[in-house]
Amino acid sequence: PQREVGGRVGATARGDLEAFYRSTVHPAGGVLVVVGEVEPAAALDLVASTLGEWHPAQAPAARAVVPTPAPAEARRDAYVALPGKSQSDIVLGNPAIPRAHPDWLAASLANTVLGVFAMMGRLGKNVRDDRGLAYYAYSALHGGFGPGPWTAAAGVNPANVAEAIDAILDEMRRLCDEPVPPDELDDVKAF
């Protein structure tokens, strides 16, 4: 349990941690992996003698539901100036989908095309190499039980921020609007 304090998560008390431990840390639903030259029966006997009587102190809590964020109504830009810096770091992001979503593999493949290959992906090739706008450029797709972020990032000369953002967005649009050519798709599949 966490307490909301003025819109922020507040301190967690010792009792909160103890209650979490009692309700969550136990072998129920766990997976045990045994590797090596071990007799299966001996491994099962050892597990039963070690963990067999360990049960949760209370009924396990239901898995938390991670809400899907509402789609953004409009693009939001935020800039944080750090005096004396010779490089600007750009991060563009959007809520993605949970890992169990039926489109997860397609989104993961699209992310690989966009920027997992770093300098060989579309962001690295077009934003960095062809346009000379970035020192680095990549994308990342994260997901778990709930949606995670899908981000694209680049390190650029501060004079190139707006143009680099436009170039990244161009690559994102191209990924949506044009089929991935067979040779590029073969590279991704091989990866």
Side-chain angles (χ1 to χ4, degrees):
Q2 297 174 334
R3 295 177 196 88
E4 291 288 326
V5 180
R8 300 180 72 169
V9 176
T12 300
R14 178 185 173 110
D16 296 332
L17 295 175
E18 290 172 345
F20 175 80
Y21 178 84
R22 282 192 303 277
S23 68
T24 308
V25 179
H26 52 78
V31 175
L32 179 67
V33 178
V34 178
V35 179
E37 191 174 338
V38 178
E39 289 294 324
L44 290 173
D45 289 344
L46 181 60
V47 170
S49 67
T50 306
L51 303 176
E53 298 301 316
W54 186 12
H55 299 285
Q58 59 196 43
R63 179 174 285 162
V65 175
V66 179
T68 300
E73 294 181 21
R75 176 176 150 179
R76 293 180 302 192
D77 294 350
Y79 299 91
V80 178
L82 300 175
K85 297 296 282 185
S86 59
Q87 175 175 309
S88 292
D89 293 293
I90 299 168
V91 179
L92 288 82
N94 200 54
I97 54 179
R99 201 171 272 269
H101 191 283
D103 292 331
W104 175 262
L105 289 177
S108 181
L109 185 138
N111 181 62
T112 302
V113 168
L114 185 64
V116 168
F117 287 140
M119 296 310 152
M120 294 172 18
R122 288 184 177 186
L123 293 179
K125 180 182 181 318
N126 295 332
V127 177
R128 180 184 186 271
D129 293 347
D130 294 351
R131 296 187 191 190
L133 297 172
Y135 306 116
Y136 69 85
Y138 66 91
S139 64
L141 174 65
H142 300 281
F145 294 120
W150 192 344
T151 59
V156 303
N157 179 316
N160 294 336
V161 169
E163 190 177 353
I165 289 171
D166 288 343
I168 292 169
L169 293 173
D170 286 346
E171 286 306 320
M172 291 176 171
R173 279 187 216 93
R174 184 166 77 106
L175 188 60
C176 293
D177 296 342
E178 300 173 13
V180 176
D183 59 331
E184 193 175 10
L185 190 58
D186 288 343
D187 286 346
V188 173
K189 288 178 181 178
F191 173 75

